[in-house]
Amino acid sequence: MSTHARMLDHVGQAVGWTPLVALDRLAAGLPARVAAKLEYFSPGASIKDRPALTVLERAEQDGLLKKGQFVVEKTSGNMGAGLAWACAVKGYKFVAVLSAGNTPERSQMIRAFGAKVVKVKQAKGGKPGLVTREDLELVEVEVQRLVKRLKAFRPDQFGNPASALAHEIGTGPEIWAQTAGKVTHFCSFVGSSGTMIGTSRALKNYSSKVKCFAVEPAQTPFLARRTIRSTQHIIQGGGYAVRPGIYDDAVVDGYLTVTDLEATRTARALASKEGIMGGFSGGANVAAALKLARDAAKGSLIVTVICDSGLKYLSTGLYAE
Ligand SMILES: Cc1ncc(COP(=O)(O)O)c(C=O)c1O
């Protein structure tokens, strides 16, 4: 079952089959069990390795991506890191376009994999570490310019069905197998929504009884169609107050919100009590999963994902002394 029991031909084969770990210390005393899939056990240390690889492979199969071609993508950093190592292995030239508001660890990582990083200045009033919809709109303008100029392939993680497919054929079936079909709930913080939509689609295919919840920042409950108090929040990688092209209401049973403080405190508790050091969105996901666990029927099993590593956030103070 595990891909790690044999020597691999290239690092792309190391994507998938991440560990699923029960969080019995954090969920002690609750009626349900909570478990998290540790996506930082991946070559680019994030959940975005899955769509990065699937999107490139599908584009190759469809003849949209040819040897030596440029690949240009808008990214909060993790899709960039995934595409960067995948392009390095496959021999494509990759340009990642990021908001200057993203943490520096991300752009350093992308450059380490041999890719080029273009940083776009934040919108007026923008704060480092708080990437907003307005910041992403500026990034989009630059991406479109570069795609045209370099005749590049654009993975388009927000609109490309392969971005959700990666989770439908990977994350979802893995969770089903790792829980022996006992998973009752899934929740996921939404950026491109690939994780939420693809995983939920797969789980609901196995059993229509599995309930799936999208997680948003408390001040930006856009997909839940509630009042937006601010588009600024600390949870990097999502909560952009946009409806991605690949979003699909049919597999979403409900919405949960998490404050910056809940995400931060839960990420810290996850590290100190469970030995799992994730990023802000991992903290948000577990905080949301614990909310579900409080109200769930006895014996429920709530699964979520730790999207990336806390090591990508050392500059933010998430784990400051
Ligand atoms: C740290 C982090 N968390 C969560 C997400 C959201 O994942 P998805 O794009 O599948 O919705 C991302 C996406 O880039 C991310 O980088």
Side-chain angles (χ1 to χ4, degrees):
M1 190 158 79
S2 169
T3 48
H4 303 314
R6 62 180 173 87
M7 185 171 82
L8 307 176
D9 297 323
H10 57 83
V11 79
Q13 292 176 342
V15 175
W17 286 110
T18 50
L20 178 71
V21 180
L23 308 179
D24 289 343
R25 277 149 287 268
L26 284 188
L30 299 180
R33 256 187 132 183
V34 173
K37 215 156 155 51
L38 310 188
E39 291 297 313
Y40 56 79
F41 275 73
S42 192
S46 96
I47 194 150
K48 301 303 287 194
D49 286 355
R50 296 172 184 268
L53 201 56
T54 304
V55 163
L56 292 182
E57 284 173 354
R58 291 284 150 154
E60 287 169 338
Q61 283 163 21
D62 296 344
L64 300 170
L65 179 58
K66 307 251 163 45
K67 222 69 256 96
Q69 197 176 346
F70 272 99
V71 174
V72 174
E73 180 68 323
K74 169 169 79 178
T75 164
S76 71
N78 278 330
M79 184 68 166
L83 286 168
W85 69 254
C87 285
V89 170
K90 286 174 166 289
Y92 300 111
K93 292 173 278 192
F94 177 52
V95 183
V97 190
L98 266 79
S99 166
N102 284 122
T103 52
E105 290 88 338
R106 292 155 185 254
S107 39
Q108 283 174 24
M109 209 172 155
I110 295 168
R111 283 200 195 96
F113 289 123
K116 190 170 162 22
V117 172
V118 175
K119 282 197 182 177
V120 179
K121 237 176 101 182
Q122 286 188 273
K124 209 161 163 248
K127 296 193 189 105
L130 303 175
V131 178
T132 64
R133 171 172 60 186
E134 294 76 15
D135 295 330
L136 278 195
E137 281 165 7
L138 295 176
V139 174
E140 175 65 28
V141 173
E142 181 60 10
V143 167
Q144 288 188 14
R145 194 185 68 79
L146 282 169
V147 166
K148 213 166 154 193
R149 187 160 73 81
L150 300 171
K151 296 190 176 53
F153 167 70
R154 177 175 189 186
D156 186 17
Q157 55 170 319
F158 286 75
N160 188 336
S163 161
L165 180 70
H167 299 285
E168 194 178 342
I169 59 177
T171 320
E174 289 172 30
I175 291 171
W176 189 258
Q178 287 168 321
T179 62
K182 292 198 171 71
V183 53
T184 57
H185 300 69
F186 175 71
C187 67
S188 176
F189 182 66
V190 174
S192 74
S193 78
T195 310
M196 174 64 200
I197 300 305
T199 308
S200 302
R201 200 171 273 151
L203 293 176
K204 282 176 177 291
N205 256 335
Y206 289 113
S207 165
S208 55
K209 289 196 186 128
V210 181
K211 298 287 173 228
C212 301
F213 294 82
V215 180
E216 297 187 279
Q219 55 271 55
T220 325
F222 176 85
L223 295 164
R225 298 186 174 86
R226 286 171 40 207
T227 312
I228 294 178
R229 277 179 282 123
S230 166
T231 53
Q232 286 189 334
H233 59 83
I234 211 166
I235 314 168
Q236 288 188 44
Y240 299 125
V242 294
R243 190 189 156 85
I246 57 171
Y247 198 74
D248 179 4
D249 292 298
V251 295
V252 182
D253 294 297
Y255 294 88
L256 297 162
T257 57
V258 175
T259 65
D260 286 356
L261 192 62
E262 285 171 328
T264 305
R265 282 194 176 150
T266 311
R268 288 177 181 163
L270 198 55
S272 62
K273 294 203 168 76
E274 300 282 0
I276 294 169
M277 194 174 154
F280 286 106
S281 65
N285 276 341
V286 173
L290 290 169
K291 286 181 191 193
L292 281 176
R294 268 170 222 135
D295 299 330
K298 200 165 170 5
S300 300
L301 174 53
I302 301 167
V303 174
T304 191
V305 288
I306 307 300
C307 310
D308 65 356
S309 164
L311 295 177
K312 296 193 181 193
Y313 300 87
L314 294 181
S315 69
T316 66
L318 173 56
Y319 293 107
E321 292 155 57

